[in-house]
Amino acid sequence: MRFAVVSFPGSNCDDDCVRVATEVLGETAWKVRHDERDLRRPDVVLLPGGFSYGDYLRCGAIASLSPVMEAVAAFARAGGPVLGICNGFQVLTESHLLPGALLRNAGLKFICEDAHVRVDGRPTPFTAGVQGVLRLPIAHNEGRYHADADTLARLEGEGRVVFRYCGPDGTVSDAFNPNGASANIAGICNEGGNVVGMMPHPERNAEPLLGNGQGRALFDAALRLVGGAR
Amino acid sequence: MKPPYTPEIIRQHGLTADEYARVERLIGRAPTWPELGVFSVLWSEHCAYKSSRVHLRRLPTTGPKVIQGPGENAGVIDAGDGWAVVFKMESHNHPSYIEPYQGAATGVGGILRDVFTMGARPVALLDALRFGRPDHPKTPHLVEGVVHGIGGYGNCVGVPTVGGDAMFDASYDGNILVNAMAVGVARADRIFLGRAEGVGNPVFYVGSKTGRDGIHGATMASEEFGEDSESRRPTVQVGDPFTEKLLIEACLEVMGEDLLVGIQDMGAAGLTSSSCEMASRSGSGLHLKLEAVPVRESNMTPYELLLSESQERMLMVCERGREQRLIDIVTRWGLDVCEVGTVTDTGRFVCSWHGEVVVDVPVAALVDDAPKYERPMRAATTPPAVGEVPVPADLGATLVQLLARPSIASKRWIYRQYDHMVRTGTALRPGDGDAAVVRLPETRRGIAMSVGCNGRQCALDPRVGAALAVYEAAINVACVGARPTAITDCLNFASPERPEVMWQLSQAIDGIAEACRALDTPVVSGNVSLYNETEGRGIHPTPMIGMVGLMDDVATVRGAAFPSADLAVVLVGGAAPVLGGSEYLLLATGELAGPPPAFDAAQARATIETLLAAHADGLVLSAHDCSEGGLAVALAECCFGRDVGAAIAVVGEGRDDVMLFGEAQGRVVVATDRPDALLAVAAKHGVPAAILGRTGGDRLRVRCAERTLIDAPVAELRRGWATALEEMLR
Amino acid sequence: MKGRVTVRLKPDVLDVEGKAVSGALARLGFDDAHGVRVGKVFEVELGDVDPAVARERLEAMARKLLANPVMETFSVEVE
């Protein structure tokens, strides 16, 4: 399978995404620079974490205006699977490929630790066949998902909340909400289900050395989907 | 400004009358205004090591694993399979006290540049912090700012902050310590040096534009604080981690091709020190055209351009003919790049300004002829011996109190704010083991790192305290399963103009040398920070040690927490604990009294070898060394990680509190499923070891003969330990 | 009485955010935008007080908390 990993100035998880695709999954991956307009025919596009343009102005705002994002939007419109991780999620909301916004954490501090997330909602290319609770690292300062009441109702109604912060047993409550996100939302998808944004980092727990390897499930899901379509 | 200069002007440049006379003698005339500035920064304590240099020579700096020792931007060791590990630690103490966020942030930026200047990809950061007493009114503000600044920079630049150390003591009330260590990896045959070679080769300026940031920062870092220092601020240096990230990528891309002769970052004393150091190492000269330097403020003078400490800038010497490729790469990363001069064979540092020569002095006068002092030394008065300490009636309550001391308590509040996982190589995260471990990319190997120093022990006996700091860092690395290989150090002391302080510095260097020789861990890089004192009150001598260890298989790392129930708990190492300098003594009496624990070089070496042999045989399931708070605190910490209790029986004849809370060198709590084999390994190395008990249950129980000393639920012990830092900052 | 405190970086302090925004504007074709500097505005409700008193209070707030005197300057308006 072919992964395109978009690299903005200040992206710092682009190498990590490439590494998971190639070294862990044994697939093909390449980076696409912010000023390129050709994604070079990938099966999946990954928008990695990091601090595109230093997170200055608003996280993801300057990156969302990059030339490469026109190509990403076209790929998404055509139904191509897109996963935005952390800063990649922020870029997707700033690009209006996903609704809502990511605000400063309720505790006003950067948080780096493992969180538990429950896989919820409708199946997506990255969650189809993935069930239960995953332990995934979070590392962000602006991860508090926010949307107006109508949007939240629509997301819930359409099964578009795909990850929710929870306890180890799947309990969703304020006690397990690390950043104050609305309805414990850790990740959502678009109407078509092919564009997914999430704050946790599945690529940081895709092999046992780095935790329990549960993050790999998302990439395996994409592999099954694209493999199946062929 | 033109000569003659008033004594006041000369003093403001940090030069004594004698030193100024030496300048005139060396160049045969009065210096121009920019030349005065250049001498001022290059002859500062910070750049010239003028008080410490004669002593630093006594440190062991060579060994089979050493590729590059002190003298370059960072040290380099051989990591096997053609890889090298590049690392250095540096202080940013004074700037962090004045503007904690930017001071700490630019400290991280600076040490990263030292490492990627060598051609290495930075893979880990660590920070050793010292703050004043927890209830000092400035402490919360400084802690918040420094931690925020380290996170703000390190997180953005995409290098994981994997470890560190924080202690609180009244001696740092007016002078905090922010010591940052960066570790990078490179191919061993692709190490770049700070050289300006090849007459006619062009010199390029790369990175951010120059402003008036931190002019005279290097001289400021060499002066003790006075009442007015908080108002006498130079323009604060502002760090831009976004630009640094681009600079890392641009530099590594440039260094991936054969374009460069040499490269040096512009750190303290900016353009001046970077260019002079490069020329000095190569015995060459440089001619800089200052009007070519990219600026972001108007009307900057040659003096300002030479002394500016604007961040995120590099100086590169390019092969003549390959300039365009360099320019193309750097421009593609959105950074400024322009030719600012050429390498000459004159041995002189020449700067012109629109055709007019404004600086023309021998490089040797600036670097080699900088003053070196054999400052007078006098042994500091021996601190009082430990006096009367009543044995507490409730040892369990004392343990709870000790665990909640900010120096001992969980540092989660700090490291939660640092991205410690980016680059997907962190095999042992902060808080999980005695050392941090990252994977050596593209291999199965691991790099283990630990930083620390107990300033109280050094105040009591600087030689022993410094040796113990090396030893503890080595033990930490050995606990996780890596072989201690080399160190970097950051020697933080008060004013060298006081003979007692000079003596402390000299003694500490001897202590480091002794321990490094015993453990085969040479010093490959380092930094000296003097004048850490305010109104005559100095910090505890704090020779911070950053240890790097190597392991063949990163998957075999071991954490500090008891992994499960029904394992034997073994104490390896048998030195007798003492109260001198201990956290417990400070808690009980509020006083610093000695003597500190002893250092036994032969036992230190044998203990490390025991641990490594036990790891190799798969006998170690967890390992944690006893440091501040002694055996009882170490046992409690082993219980916390995975909520596994233990039933322990200690054997001893002395006082219960000394047995539980006293401190000693090199005692390690190991959990194992084959205790007899572990005891045999220890015996073979001549290291005392004893089975203390077993893991299991949800309580920590410690008894001695028939007496129960401690019996408390793990959850209860953890509470204060987990929240103390947050409570302190509230 | 409503007050407004505007906090800016001192002119000679590097504005890293402004630098990034300038670059982004230029890439969008706003190449006439040079030297963007980013500041903060605090709007403060002060109740029924004399404008001179309000101004004094706002200045005190700025000095004590809203601005960092090491790197920032501020200005105060009341309406």
Side-chain angles (χ1 to χ4, degrees), chain B residues 50-61:
Chain B
K50 54 191 175 188
S51 304
S52 56
R53 189 165 290 212
V54 295
H55 298 286
L56 293 172
R57 284 194 213 116
R58 299 199 299 274
L59 292 172
T61 58

Side-chain angles (χ1 to χ4, degrees), chain A residues 12 51, chain B residues 108 112 125 149-161 241 419 422:
Chain A
N12 61 30
F51 290 66
Chain B
V108 171
L112 282 172
L125 285 165
I150 291 170
Y153 204 99
N155 297 349
C156 180
V157 82
V159 180
T161 300
D419 187 341
V422 63

Side-chain angles (χ1 to χ4, degrees), chain C residues 25-48:
Chain C
L25 286 171
R27 281 191 300 277
L28 290 172
F30 297 104
D31 35 19
D32 45 347
H34 295 297
V36 176
R37 294 185 70 78
V38 181
K40 273 187 211 154
V41 176
F42 300 84
E43 288 182 343
V44 186
E45 205 63 66
L46 282 162
D48 202 8

Side-chain angles (χ1 to χ4, degrees), chain B residues 246-257:
Chain B
L246 303 179
L247 194 59
I248 294 176
E249 300 305 333
C251 287
L252 292 179
E253 194 175 333
V254 165
M255 290 189 276
E257 303 186 17

Side-chain angles (χ1 to χ4, degrees), chain B residues 676-688:
Chain B
D676 295 337
L678 179 56
L679 295 188
V681 169
K684 195 180 131 204
H685 287 90
V687 171

